[in-house]
Amino acid sequence: DADVTQTPRNRITKTGKRIMLECSQTKGHDRMYWYRQDPGLGLRLIYYSFDVKDINKGEISDGYSVSRQAQAKFSLSLESAIPNQTALYFCATSDSAAVQETQYFGPGTRLLVL
Amino acid sequence: GQNIDQPTEMTATEGAIVQINCTYQTSGFNGLFWYQQHAGEAPTFLSYNVLDGLEEKGRFSSFLSRSKGYSYLLLKELQMKDSASYLCAVSDSNYQLIWGAGTKLIIKP
């Protein structure tokens, strides 16, 4: 079984719609992240959470919101989707207690906004 | 600002050796990571360097020079399955990962 899962894997929506992307992990990690990836660009951080009560904006948080419902769950919402939010979205986790704080990624959600 | 530079694309031949370079300028340094990403899939961890020198792991090795802000990933005995993008990322003073845009490696028979 995958340690980091994302739902849905693919989503097509229309401009103005609200959508939620969900991430769950069984790794027991305290830190979770949401990234987007666009062709030719590196991974860009949207939001990150160091524990359930800690939420921080990343490089490109405008137009997005998040919720850390539990240590294992971190959701990303697009309140009113727009076409330039079409991208591949990744959730990642890491363990702050690890000497080498490697991030582990979910399989990604491919989002198309029409 | 913070910046990670790596070549956009490289081509190599099956069975050969290829070196992918990464240079960085970041606010602080807490280690450098290399990830492999096949098209449409998630990045997967390959290697981590925090001290200067070479780390070897099977066919893959990674080198770091902190004074030069430079790293490379060396892939030996290339196989067709090594065709992928290779992402360089630096952990900055806040332990945030700063990502390069990735190097697309094309392996030819």
Side-chain angles (χ1 to χ4, degrees):
Chain A
D1 289 341
D3 294 323
V4 185
T5 58
Q6 292 183 234
T7 55
R9 294 294 313 278
N10 294 279
R11 179 73 185 268
I12 300 174
T13 191
K14 294 182 178 180
T15 298
K17 294 291 187 181
R18 181 182 188 277
I19 66 163
M20 180 182 289
L21 309 183
E22 299 188 351
C23 176
S24 294
Q25 53 115 346
T26 58
K27 300 182 77 68
H29 289 173
D30 53 335
R31 297 183 172 183
M32 298 186 73
Y33 310 81
W34 275 105
Y35 291 95
R36 67 176 280 174
Q37 188 175 42
D38 299 276
L41 299 178
L43 289 162
R44 292 186 291 168
L45 185 62
I46 305 171
Y47 271 95
Y48 61 101
S49 170
F50 282 176
D51 65 40
V52 174
K53 297 182 180 180
D54 178 79
I55 303 288
N56 303 281
K57 292 183 178 180
E59 178 188 355
I60 52 163
S61 59
D62 287 350
Y64 302 94
S65 63
V66 291
S67 173
R68 184 85 183 264
Q69 302 95 321
Q71 188 184 41
K73 296 184 182 296
F74 193 36
S75 300
L76 176 72
S77 293
L78 286 69
E79 296 301 326
S80 179
I82 56 177
N84 77 0
Q85 291 178 313
T86 292
L88 184 54
Y89 289 83
F90 288 106
C91 172
T93 73
S94 68
D95 179 4
S96 63
V99 172
Q100 169 187 317
E101 194 175 337
T102 302
Q103 291 188 14
Y104 297 90
F105 287 79
T109 295
R110 191 171 297 278
L111 176 65
L112 174 61
V113 182
L114 299 175
Chain B
Q2 307 200 96
N3 195 52
I4 309 284
D5 286 318
Q6 48 181 135
T8 302
E9 186 174 296
M10 299 182 70
T11 302
T13 303
E14 189 177 16
I17 299 172
V18 71
Q19 177 175 311
I20 302 173
N21 296 325
C22 171
T23 58
Y24 63 89
Q25 290 180 311
T26 57
S27 55
F29 179 84
N30 284 301
L32 185 144
F33 294 82
W34 284 97
Y35 281 76
Q36 180 189 60
Q37 185 179 25
H38 286 99
E41 298 183 7
T44 56
F45 170 74
L46 284 178
S47 69
Y48 173 76
N49 295 72
V50 66
L51 299 177
D52 289 351
L54 189 68
E55 294 282 341
E56 297 185 82
K57 191 183 294 185
R59 294 189 299 115
F60 292 7
S61 302
S62 56
F63 172 83
L64 174 67
S65 169
R66 288 173 297 170
S67 63
K68 294 182 179 179
Y70 168 71
S71 173
Y72 67 73
L73 180 69
L74 191 71
L75 291 74
K76 303 176 184 176
E77 301 170 13
L78 286 170
Q79 302 175 9
M80 297 303 294
K81 68 178 182 179
D82 298 329
S83 292
S85 289
Y86 292 85
L87 312 181
C88 174
V90 172
S91 178
D92 71 7
S93 56
N94 296 317
Y95 294 92
Q96 292 298 310
L97 285 187
I98 311 302
W99 295 85
T103 298
K104 182 178 181 180
L105 178 62
I106 299 168
I107 309 296
K108 295 186 175 180

